[in-house]
C-alpha cells in the first residue's frame, strides 16, 4: 500500500540522505537523470520535487515514500513547541511560522537544539533529586547528554521502526524452519535442541530474581519463567535464537547508527533482538497479507499466528518495507500512571516528549475495561485525525500477593486509512461529534476550554478574575 508523498518541497531530506551515504550532488543528479543545477534548486527548495523522481530517490536511498512527507517535520515542530513553552524561554517571541521555517530550512540544527534541551532537563532533574550514596560517574566524560534509552528511541524512530536486514533475515529463517506448519513454541524448542544442543526448561524461581528467561551456556539450557503465557515463552525462545545465530546482523545494523555510547549500543542490541523475535514469529509478507485480509483484526491475527495482542500491535507498527508498505501505524504502551514504556510511529503522530499524555486518550479508558478493545476517533492539536485502538495487556495475577504491572497499548492510524481496519465498522468517520480532541501534556496544549486541563498553559498569563469561574480550572487571560 504505497502512500503518495504529502509534501513536495523536500530539499533538506534529500540533502541529508545524500550526505549520509557520501554522494556528491553531481553523482546523484546523474543517477536521477537530471542536471546538477536542477537538483541544486530542488535541494534548496527553489523547485518542488517532481513525483517522477520520487520512486527513484526511494530506491537510491532505500527509504519509504513517507520519508519525503512532512512526518518528521511535524514531529520536530511539536517537540520545539513543547520546548519553547518552558518558562526559561520568551514564549511570545517565537511564532509558529518561525518554528516551521526553522524545521524546514535547518532540521539538523533543530534536532541538536532538542537534544540540548533534553540534556538540560536531565541535569535539572538530577540537581533536584537527593542522592543516596556516591555520586554516579558521568559517561564518556560528558556532563550533559541524552539518556541512552532516549538515544535508542530516536534512532528507532528515525528508521520508522523498520530494520530491513534484520527483518529479511528473520523472514528467511521462518521460511527455513516452516514455523507456519505447527506450534511455533514446540518448533523453536526442537530447533534449539537439534541445531545447538540447547534444552529449554521451566525455572520456578526465575521470576523471584526479576528474570523472565536466562541462558546458561555452560549447562546449554534456556530457562524460562513459569508465570507467563505460552506466547511469551515462544517469543523469548525466538529472542534466544536471534542472539545465538544473528549477532553479526545486529552488529552491522548498530554500526550504521549514530549511537556511540556503549550503553546505548547495548540497548540497541536488546531492541534488535526483540525486533528479530517479532519478525520471526510474524514474517513480513505473510503477516502483511493476512492483516490486509482480516482488515487488521487484532484478535484474529493473534490467534492465527499464536502471539499476544501486544506482539500483534507492535508488529503492525513496523510494516514499512520500501515498496511493500502496510498501513502506517503509531504504537504506544503505558502503565496506569501514564509512564510511557514504548513509543513508535510510522505516521505523523508524535507523542509529547516533555509532558504527560492527554487524559482524553482512550488508552486510559482501557484500564477501566480490562481485556476489552476501546475504539476512538481523535484529533491532535495539529489538526490530524486518527483512529485509535486501545486495550490492556499483560499477565494476570498468580496469587493474592502477586502484583503484576497494569499496562495498556494503543495502536493508531490516520483516519484516511481507517476503512482498511475492522474497527471502523459502524463508525461515521465524517461526523465531527465522534471526534475526541487530544493533545500533548496540559502545559504545552493550546486548547482553551478543555474540561480536563490539570495545569495552566505555559507562556500565557492566567486569568485571576474572581468574579466568574470558567469550565477549565486555569483560564488564559486575554
Amino acid at each position: 500500500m504505497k502512500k503518495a508523498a504529502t509534501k513536495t518541497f523536500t530539499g533538506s531530506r534529500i540533502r541529508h540522505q545524500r550526505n549520509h551515504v557520501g554522494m556528491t550532488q553531481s553523482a546523484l543528479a546523474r543517477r536521477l537523470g537530471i542536471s546538477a543545477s536542477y537538483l541544486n534548486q530542488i535541494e534548496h527548495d527553489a523547485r518542488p520535487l517532481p513525483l517522477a523522481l520520487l520512486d527513484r530517490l526511494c530506491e537510491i536511498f532505500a527509504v519509504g515514500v513517507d520519508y519525503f512527507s512532512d512526518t518528521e517535520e511535524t514531529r520536530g515542530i511539536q517537540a520545539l513547541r513543547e520546548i519553547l513553552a518552558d518558562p526559561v524561554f520568551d514564549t511570545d517571541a517565537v511564532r509558529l511560522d518561525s518554528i516551521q521555517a526553522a524545521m524546514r530550512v535547518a532540521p539538523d540544527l533543530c534536532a541538536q537544539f532538542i537534544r540540548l534541551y533534553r540534556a538540560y532537563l536531565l541535569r535539572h532533574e538530577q540537581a533536584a533529586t537527593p542522592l543516596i550514596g556516591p555520586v554516579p560517574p558521568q559517561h564518556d566524560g560528558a556532563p550533559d547528554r541524552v539518556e541512552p534509552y532516549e538515544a535508542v528511541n530516536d534512532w528507532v524512530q528515525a528508521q520508522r521502526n523498520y530494520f530491513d536486514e534484520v527483518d529479511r533475515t528473520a523472514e528467511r529463517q521462518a521460511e527455513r524452519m516452516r514455523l507456519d506448519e505447527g506450534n511455533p513454541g514446540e518448533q523453536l524448542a526442537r530447533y534449539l535442541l537439534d541445531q545447538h544442543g540447547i534444552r529449554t526448561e521451566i525455572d520456578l524461581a526465575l521470576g523471584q530474581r526479576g528474570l523472565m528467561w536466562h541462558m546458561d551456556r555452560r549447562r546449554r539450557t534456556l530457562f524460562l519463567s513459569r508465570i507467563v503465557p505460552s506466547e511469551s515463552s515462544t517469543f523469548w525462545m525466538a529472542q534466544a535464537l536471534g542472539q545465538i545465530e544473528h549477532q553479526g546482523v545486529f552488529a552491522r545494523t548498530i554500526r550504521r547508527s549514530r549511537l556511540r555510547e556503549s550503553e546505548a549500543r547495548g540497548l540497541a542490541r536488546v531492541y534488535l533482538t526483540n525486533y528479530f523475535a517479532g519478525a520471526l514469529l510474524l514474517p513480513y509478507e505473510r503477516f502483511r497479507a493476512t492483516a490486509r485480509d482480516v482488515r487488521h483484526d487484532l484478535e484474529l491475527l493473534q490467534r492465527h499466528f499464536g502471539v499476544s495482542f501486544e506482539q500483534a500491535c507492535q508488529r503492525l507498527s513496523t510494516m514499512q518495507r520500501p515498496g511493500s508498505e502496510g498501513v502506517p501505524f503509531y504504537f504506544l504502551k503505558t502503565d496506569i500512571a501514564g509512564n510511557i514504556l514504548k513509543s513508535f510511529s510510522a505516521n505523523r503522530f508524535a507523542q509529547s516528549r516533555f509532558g504527560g499524555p492527554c487524559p482524553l486518550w482512550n488508552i486510559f479508558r482501557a484500564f477501566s475495561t480490562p481485556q476489552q478493545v476501546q475504539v476512538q476517533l481523535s484529533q491532535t492539536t495539529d489538526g490530524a485525525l486518527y483512529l485509535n485502538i486501545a486495550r490492556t495487556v499483560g499477565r494476570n495475577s498468580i496469587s493474592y500477593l502477586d502484583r503484576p504491572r497494569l499496562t495498556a497499548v494503543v495502536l493508531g492510524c490516520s483516519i484516511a486509512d481507517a476503512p482498511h481496519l475492522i474497527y471502523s465498522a459502524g463508525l461515521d468517520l465524517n461526523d465531527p461529534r465522534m471526534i475526541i480532541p487530544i493533545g500533548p501534556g496540559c502545559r504545552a496544549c493550546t486548547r482553551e476550554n478543555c474540561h480536563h486541563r490539570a495545569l495552566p498553559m505555559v507562556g500565557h498569563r492566567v486569568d485571576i478574575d474572581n468574579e466568574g469561574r470558567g469550565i477549565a480550572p486555569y483560564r488564559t487571560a486575554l
Side-chain angles (χ1 to χ4, degrees):
M1 182 180 304
K2 206 164 198 177
K3 301 288 177 187
T6 59
K7 192 175 183 68
T8 55
F9 287 94
T10 59
S12 62
R13 296 179 185 85
I14 297 173
R15 189 164 58 251
H16 174 79
Q17 283 294 325
R18 181 172 59 76
N19 292 333
H20 182 66
V21 300
M23 185 183 298
T24 65
Q25 199 173 70
S26 298
L28 178 58
R30 285 195 299 271
R31 294 189 64 175
L32 292 173
I34 60 177
S35 68
S37 60
Y38 184 33
L39 177 59
N40 184 65
Q41 290 178 312
I42 293 174
E43 287 195 3
H44 287 86
D45 288 335
R47 294 283 189 94
L49 174 67
L51 291 179
L53 298 179
L54 182 59
D55 287 340
R56 185 66 181 137
L57 282 169
C58 292
E59 179 184 344
I60 292 171
F61 295 130
V63 296
V65 177
D66 279 344
Y67 176 81
F68 294 104
S69 73
D70 64 353
T71 299
E72 292 303 316
E73 184 175 306
T74 299
R75 292 196 190 95
I77 289 171
Q78 176 169 312
L80 288 174
R81 288 178 65 189
E82 293 175 27
I83 290 171
L84 293 170
D86 191 308
V88 74
F89 298 105
D90 182 357
T91 306
D92 296 330
V94 184
R95 297 170 54 87
L96 177 59
D97 54 359
S98 299
I99 298 174
Q100 293 169 331
M103 276 301 303
R104 182 171 172 179
V105 175
D108 291 338
L109 181 61
C110 291
Q112 292 303 314
F113 176 74
I114 294 170
R115 178 184 175 91
L116 177 63
Y117 181 77
R118 287 162 63 184
Y120 155 77
L121 276 189
L122 176 62
R123 172 55 64 90
H124 186 72
E125 291 169 358
Q126 289 173 340
T129 302
L131 293 175
I132 300 176
V135 177
Q138 299 293 342
H139 293 253
D140 296 344
D144 295 308
R145 66 186 186 112
V146 173
E147 284 287 272
Y149 72 90
E150 291 186 343
V152 173
N153 284 343
D154 289 345
W155 171 59
V156 171
Q157 186 57 64
Q159 301 299 317
R160 280 180 169 74
N161 198 22
Y162 176 75
F163 294 86
D164 192 72
E165 185 179 6
V166 178
D167 210 297
R168 293 181 187 273
T169 298
E171 188 175 35
R172 289 192 295 269
Q173 178 119 30
E175 292 173 356
R176 290 196 304 270
M177 295 175 63
R178 298 182 179 178
L179 284 181
D180 59 328
E181 297 181 3
N183 183 293
E186 294 176 356
Q187 289 175 281
L188 279 165
R190 186 165 52 250
Y191 181 89
L192 289 170
L193 182 61
D194 293 344
Q195 299 298 318
H196 300 284
I198 294 176
R199 296 177 294 111
T200 55
E201 292 185 5
I202 300 298
D203 185 341
L204 300 181
L206 206 58
Q208 298 175 359
R209 296 158 51 195
L211 297 174
M212 294 291 100
W213 65 270
H214 171 67
M215 173 73 77
D216 189 328
R217 295 185 182 272
R218 184 180 60 82
R219 297 168 59 183
R220 305 197 68 76
T221 303
L222 175 64
F223 292 102
L224 305 174
S225 173
R226 69 180 177 93
I227 64 174
V228 296
S230 60
E231 57 264 24
S232 295
S233 296
T234 300
F235 189 81
W236 296 335
M237 284 188 278
Q239 286 180 330
L241 177 58
Q243 288 194 8
I244 293 168
E245 293 193 355
H246 300 295
Q247 284 294 332
V249 176
F250 302 157
R252 284 195 298 274
T253 304
I254 294 170
R255 277 199 299 270
R256 290 192 290 267
S257 75
R258 294 184 176 181
L259 302 172
R260 296 293 176 262
E261 290 190 14
S262 59
E263 189 176 347
R265 295 169 74 87
L267 289 174
R269 189 172 292 104
V270 171
Y271 173 82
L272 291 177
T273 302
N274 293 339
Y275 187 101
F276 171 86
L280 179 69
L281 299 175
L282 302 165
Y284 193 97
E285 290 298 349
R286 187 159 64 89
F287 183 69
R288 186 176 73 97
T290 306
R292 183 183 61 235
D293 292 344
V294 302
R295 295 186 64 198
H296 302 84
D297 188 318
L298 290 158
E299 284 88 353
L300 285 180
L301 286 172
Q302 69 174 119
R303 282 198 294 270
H304 182 87
F305 288 93
V307 296
S308 70
F309 188 89
E310 179 182 345
Q311 289 164 5
C313 287
Q314 187 159 342
R315 183 57 170 151
L316 282 174
S317 74
T318 69
M319 310 302 284
Q320 293 301 299
R321 180 175 293 178
S324 189
E325 293 92 343
V327 171
F329 285 100
Y330 77 82
F331 168 82
L332 186 139
K333 181 179 181 180
T334 180
D335 65 16
I336 197 169
N339 298 305
I340 304 300
L341 308 178
K342 298 179 183 177
S343 180
F344 312 113
S345 180
N347 53 42
R348 66 183 292 176
F349 181 87
Q351 168 54 32
S352 173
R353 303 181 71 169
F354 305 105
C358 179
L360 289 170
W361 215 357
N362 64 333
I363 193 170
F364 295 110
R365 189 174 294 274
F367 287 107
S368 64
T369 57
Q371 304 302 310
Q372 295 182 26
V373 171
Q374 292 278 343
V375 179
Q376 178 190 63
L377 295 178
S378 67
Q379 184 175 36
T380 51
T381 52
D382 63 355
L385 299 171
Y386 296 94
L387 174 66
N388 307 317
I389 306 105
R391 205 198 82 171
T392 55
V393 295
R395 64 177 180 84
N396 296 322
S397 298
I398 61 172
S399 75
Y400 174 71
L401 298 177
D402 188 26
R403 298 291 185 269
R405 172 184 268 182
L406 297 176
T407 57
V409 297
V410 61
L411 189 73
C413 70
S414 167
I415 199 170
D417 292 309
H420 300 293
L421 275 65
I422 190 68
Y423 303 99
S424 66
L427 294 179
D428 186 348
L429 302 179
N430 297 311
D431 186 348
R433 295 173 300 176
M434 297 290 293
I435 298 171
I436 304 298
I438 66 172
C442 288
R443 294 178 68 80
C445 184
T446 56
R447 289 197 170 95
E448 287 280 356
N449 295 318
C450 177
H451 294 221
H452 298 263
R453 178 172 289 280
L455 295 167
M457 194 187 314
V458 170
H460 296 77
R461 291 186 298 109
V462 175
D463 185 354
I464 56 175
D465 180 14
N466 288 317
E467 301 301 319
R469 194 59 56 115
I471 295 174
Y474 303 100
R475 300 179 63 210
T476 301
L478 299 178

